[in-house]
Amino acid sequence: MNASNKDLAQDAEVVIAGGGPVGMGLAIELGQRGVRTIVVERYPQPQPIPKGQNLTQRTMEHFHFWGAEKPLRAARTIPVEYGIGGLTAHGTLLGPHTYDWLQRDLVKPYYFTGNERLPQYATEAVLRARVAELPSVQTLYGWEAKAVVQDADGVSITIAERGGSGVERVLRSAYAVGSDGARSVVREQAGIPQTRTDHDRMMVLLVFRSHGLHQLLERYPGKSYYNVLQPELKGYWKFFGRVDLGSTWFFHAPVPPGTTKDNFDFAAYLHEAVGAQFDVEFEHVGFWDLRFMLADRYRQGRVFVAGDAAHSHPPYGGYGVNSGLEDARNLGWKLAATLQGWGGERLLDSYDAERRPVFASTINDFIAKSIDTDRAFLDAHDPAHDLAAFEAAWRARAQGAVGEVHAFEPHYEGSAVVWDSAGRASSAKGSHRFDARPGHHLAPARLPSSRNVYEELGAGFTLLAFGASAQEVQAFRDAAAEQSLPLAVVQAQGAGEHERYDARLVLVRPDQFVAWTGRGAELGADQAREVLELAAGVQVEVAAA
């Protein structure tokens, strides 16, 4: 049976089921590396629901390296001079108690690019256009995955044309990735279980037009999203977001069980959250259940899951689409490395080992924690009962909001393909620093040439050599050549921002995370080989004594 499977011709090296932002981002990551890829996407056009709007600085680094940063920024629906900050209010948006929230600009110095805000459908359009430029990527719009079967040599995915035509095809590939949403067919067909935490809340998503709300909120210049805390909601939010500047909005909030489009006064609900009357013209009314989901594993043999197929959570804090795009970046280069022969099985295993703990931490340390913290705050503090105590606690919350932005720093300290990982754990909780640390994102730095180190990074691994000896650099070049591992070398002498990495040698992965740093004695050929073998996930051979 295996022999016959081996003889099956491959339609692609990787088939991606689901062409939303995550699937398209992964296709770009693979396509730019020359990997033959097919994307199967059920919708011919992006769906016009304004979700996933907040794109972090880290996410914009992906778009930079995907060759899509300029068109993405050009597609924004809110003028760049307006700002994309957030606001938290108690009681109503027009009430006396507010503070700035999720000020991601505070961590801008640690990233090469600034953050961005635009509706997900606009992001998808930019990604689709970039994919269309890559000759190694084929897109099948209007199709969806129905069945997934894998064997020792590859994966067979049965896809069906939507619309009831009954037409089916079978695609054969070396690997398959499900980025087909929270109800992922690929995940289910691959036999990957999930752990769900249901918060037993029915939520509404409203999309509406209102010039009056824009006028009411002009008192908060530079704000694009607003969340309202009310004691009766027990820590859950009423959340407003701008789709454009002046007219279109979206709104998430809990609603009573059994609520439908026809039996609830949504306009009154909006007015109560804002604290004033204003014009409302609804464009969309939808419902969803507030729950957390995390796949028990992100890999099953030759099948992987990413984005909402691997994890989902309520749209609090803009973590969702950013987490999914980081999945794409992490998995893409590892699949390419394995297919091109310079990455090992441990590298593919590291996708789950790195990304799944980070999302578990995102749930526990940030999103679910914020719900619990808000509930406790509202239970303990009431401005009508003790205004002075409330205001003191409110000021403390404002400072905590600053700390949360600094603390959200996903890292892979526990990864087996990161040096010195024994006894450490990967997590979303960390700290932003300029020194280079194994498992952490590389901060930008201006070189003596006046170029930023990010402008010098290669598509494969990059060795930053700042004051290292010629022999050390040559040892890494030779070891990389032996392994057919792509390695760029960036050298610099003298004073400059690069000194804040506090390392003579820094090995940077293709996703801009640090794999290893050299700070001690000079390295020889065997040590250089061992460092590269570990980072690429191939078997490390211990040098003879």
Side-chain angles (χ1 to χ4, degrees):
M1 181 176 177
N2 283 345
S4 62
N5 286 333
K6 213 171 223 178
D7 293 337
L8 290 174
Q10 285 188 356
D11 299 283
E13 293 172 287
V14 179
V15 170
I16 301 169
V22 176
M24 287 300 176
L26 177 58
I28 296 169
E29 184 73 19
L30 293 168
Q32 289 188 157
R33 298 177 185 280
V35 176
R36 292 185 299 112
T37 304
I38 295 176
V39 183
V40 180
E41 166 53 33
R42 62 188 307 190
Y43 293 116
Q45 300 295 331
Q47 297 302 288
I49 303 298
K51 56 184 179 179
Q53 301 214 76
N54 292 306
L55 303 179
T56 64
Q57 291 100 338
R58 170 58 180 160
T59 288
M60 292 307 298
E61 289 180 354
H62 304 329
F63 280 88
H64 171 80
F65 286 103
W66 289 339
E69 182 186 2
K70 287 184 178 179
L72 186 85
R73 295 199 188 278
R76 68 177 295 158
T77 54
I78 296 175
V80 66
E81 64 272 12
Y82 189 80
I84 51 177
L87 179 101
T88 292
H90 181 273
T92 67
L93 281 184
L94 301 182
H97 306 294
T98 64
Y99 60 78
D100 289 345
W101 172 67
L102 214 59
Q103 304 169 71
R104 286 205 170 104
D105 57 307
L106 296 173
V107 296
K108 168 63 177 73
Y110 302 95
Y111 298 91
F112 180 57
T113 52
N115 56 348
E116 191 54 88
R117 179 181 173 83
L118 71 169
Q120 182 169 303
Y121 54 78
T123 300
E124 288 186 29
V126 170
L127 290 169
R128 287 188 180 205
R130 178 67 181 118
V131 163
E133 298 172 346
L134 300 172
S136 58
V137 181
Q138 178 186 357
T139 51
L140 297 176
Y141 294 119
W143 293 75
E144 58 188 346
K146 290 295 186 183
V148 180
V149 178
Q150 63 173 309
D151 52 65
D153 304 308
V155 185
S156 298
I157 301 183
T158 301
I159 64 172
E161 192 172 24
R162 297 188 76 221
S165 68
V167 177
E168 291 189 348
R169 292 177 57 183
V170 177
L171 300 176
R172 181 75 177 172
S173 59
Y175 297 98
V177 181
S179 56
D180 50 341
R183 295 179 175 85
S184 170
V185 170
V186 174
R187 184 189 65 237
E188 293 176 359
Q189 290 278 310
I192 298 176
Q194 57 179 324
T195 298
R196 288 169 48 169
T197 303
D198 198 330
H199 274 233
D200 194 28
R201 285 292 185 282
M202 181 178 180
M203 307 289 287
V204 68
L205 166 60
L206 305 174
V207 182
F208 63 96
R209 297 178 65 82
S210 176
H211 293 283
L213 182 57
H214 171 68
Q215 293 169 354
L216 287 169
L217 297 182
E218 283 182 326
R219 68 185 65 190
Y220 305 125
K223 304 303 181 193
S224 294
Y225 44 99
Y226 318 77
N227 67 300
V228 183
L229 301 180
Q230 297 176 332
E232 61 271 21
L233 297 184
K234 301 298 182 183
Y236 300 97
W237 302 345
K238 292 181 177 177
F239 184 88
F240 291 84
R242 293 181 182 273
V243 178
D244 54 32
L245 184 60
S247 61
T248 311
W249 305 80
F250 69 89
F251 175 79
H252 288 284
V255 290
T259 298
T260 69
K261 292 181 180 180
D262 304 315
N263 67 4
F264 192 83
D265 189 343
F266 295 109
Y269 204 42
L270 293 172
H271 295 157
E272 183 271 337
V274 173
Q277 300 280 318
F278 53 89
D279 60 300
V280 178
E281 179 186 345
F282 291 108
E283 293 187 346
H284 173 82
V285 178
F287 301 95
W288 51 278
D289 296 321
L290 192 154
R291 63 168 59 97
F292 297 96
M293 184 282 286
L294 182 62
D296 291 1
R297 52 186 177 274
Y298 284 11
R299 180 188 185 187
Q300 181 67 37
R302 291 177 173 270
V303 178
F304 299 81
V305 289
D308 286 352
H311 49 75
S312 60
H313 61 76
Y316 284 11
Y319 295 107
V321 69
N322 296 292
S323 294
L325 290 168
E326 191 72 58
D327 293 344
R329 197 76 194 286
N330 187 290
L331 178 59
W333 74 267
K334 294 174 180 178
L335 282 170
T338 305
L339 287 162
Q340 293 164 359
W342 54 272
E345 278 296 310
R346 290 197 311 141
L347 190 63
L348 291 182
D349 287 338
S350 74
Y351 168 62
D352 172 274
E354 292 180 353
R355 295 301 303 150
R356 200 161 58 88
V358 164
F359 197 82
S361 171
T362 301
I363 292 173
N364 296 325
D365 295 326
F366 292 92
I367 305 172
K369 181 181 178 182
S370 74
I371 295 172
D372 294 339
T373 299
D374 288 349
R375 180 186 298 117
F377 171 83
L378 293 167
D379 286 344
H381 301 286
D382 181 353
H385 180 259
D386 189 336
L387 181 59
F390 173 88
E391 289 181 338
W394 191 251
R395 287 192 295 271
R397 281 179 60 89
Q399 287 302 114
V402 172
E404 179 179 335
V405 172
H406 283 284
F408 183 73
E409 189 258 338
H411 62 81
Y412 309 136
E413 284 191 359
S415 172
V417 295
V418 166
W419 200 264
D420 196 25
S421 63
R424 300 177 183 270
S426 301
S427 173
K429 194 172 185 179
S431 60
H432 286 83
R433 287 165 38 184
F434 287 116
D435 56 315
R437 296 168 289 163
H440 290 259
H441 171 265
L442 181 78
R446 190 157 297 283
L447 300 171
S449 65
S450 82
R451 284 172 62 82
N452 196 290
V453 69
Y454 265 69
E455 297 175 275
E456 305 289 353
L457 296 176
F461 281 89
T462 301
L463 181 70
L464 307 181
F466 301 141
S469 71
Q471 291 80 8
E472 286 180 298
V473 172
Q474 192 59 46
F476 274 94
R477 290 188 191 275
D478 292 343
E482 289 175 16
Q483 299 175 39
S484 299
L485 183 149
L487 179 72
V489 177
V490 178
Q491 295 180 277
Q493 300 285 346
E497 285 185 346
H498 63 282
E499 292 179 295
R500 64 194 188 190
Y501 290 141
D502 191 29
R504 191 176 68 256
L505 293 163
V506 180
L507 183 65
V508 185
R509 305 189 332 180
D511 59 356
Q512 294 84 56
F513 276 77
V514 175
W516 167 86
T517 58
R519 292 182 168 90
E522 183 163 323
L523 271 73
D526 290 341
Q527 293 165 306
R529 185 181 304 110
E530 186 178 355
V531 167
L532 292 181
E533 286 179 339
L534 184 138
V538 299
Q539 183 63 44
V540 177
E541 295 182 5
V542 179

